[in-house]
Amino acid sequence: MAGISWRKELAEDAEAMARRAQTAFGEWLSLPAWDWYTTHTFKADYVSPKQADKAWYSWFNSLRLAARVGGFSPALFGPAAPFYFRVAEYQDRGTLHYHALIGGVGDIRRLSFKDLWELYGFARVEKYDPGRGANFYVGKYLTKDQGDIRFSHNLRLT
């Protein structure tokens, strides 16, 4: 019986550490000035990770181009180009699905980029509201087995 309680205590400690790590990561993700919270779903039943990345980066590079054309060029305003924090997960049907926090977009029209993703499937591009907890939602992927976390090289914490 003593072995069972020891294992249970060990499992509970591991769960508590994971919760603390997720909370700390969510707090860290509250530091950047996010503009959008996005989800990107593919309409195909299966999209390879390589195809999915190609689609997402094509979408994000279009956003970067729109920012540059719209006057948010780093050459004009320092490092004010769009930046992101993105996580991937597999849906129940086996297809990748992305969640992202995006900043540095200025006054670019969100719905244009929601519509642009429709080439691949369905997207939500919402104005980021720090009170709704999106930073903690994407932060939970820190401790998920199949969570793929990526962020842009120009992610700013101020």
Side-chain angles (χ1 to χ4, degrees):
M1 286 305 258
I4 294 172
S5 64
W6 177 81
R7 287 185 181 136
K8 182 179 178 186
E9 184 178 335
L10 187 61
E12 289 172 355
D13 287 349
E15 289 174 15
M17 286 189 316
R19 280 192 303 275
R20 286 193 304 272
Q22 290 172 352
T23 299
F25 197 51
E27 289 169 356
W28 181 78
L29 284 173
S30 71
L31 298 175
W34 303 114
D35 296 310
W36 297 347
Y37 167 67
T38 67
T39 60
H40 306 262
T41 304
F42 291 93
K43 59 185 162 195
D45 285 335
Y46 176 78
V47 178
S48 74
K50 186 176 179 178
Q51 291 171 312
D53 260 359
K54 185 176 178 181
W56 196 87
Y57 284 113
S58 176
W59 179 87
F60 186 76
N61 286 335
S62 296
L63 178 60
R64 290 177 57 201
L65 180 61
R68 188 172 297 133
V69 169
F72 299 103
S73 169
L76 297 173
F77 298 104
F83 55 92
Y84 68 88
F85 179 88
R86 184 195 85 179
V87 296
E89 69 175 332
Y90 283 93
Q91 295 181 301
D92 291 338
R93 64 188 175 114
T95 299
L96 279 172
H97 174 79
Y98 293 119
H99 300 276
L101 298 171
I102 299 175
V105 300
D107 62 357
I108 293 174
R109 189 172 180 270
R110 290 179 300 112
L111 296 180
S112 297
F113 283 87
K114 176 193 175 303
D115 293 345
L116 182 60
W117 185 259
E118 288 183 0
L119 295 168
Y120 310 106
F122 171 79
R124 286 186 351 208
V125 179
E126 300 176 1
K127 186 175 188 238
Y128 179 74
D129 178 352
R132 294 186 66 193
N135 53 319
F136 290 100
Y137 182 78
V138 298
K140 75 181 181 181
Y141 290 91
L142 175 68
T143 58
K144 282 200 168 192
D145 288 341
Q146 295 183 352
D148 178 25
I149 297 173
R150 305 223 181 148
F151 53 90
S152 57
H153 68 281
N154 64 332
L155 177 63
R156 297 186 315 271
L157 297 178
T158 56

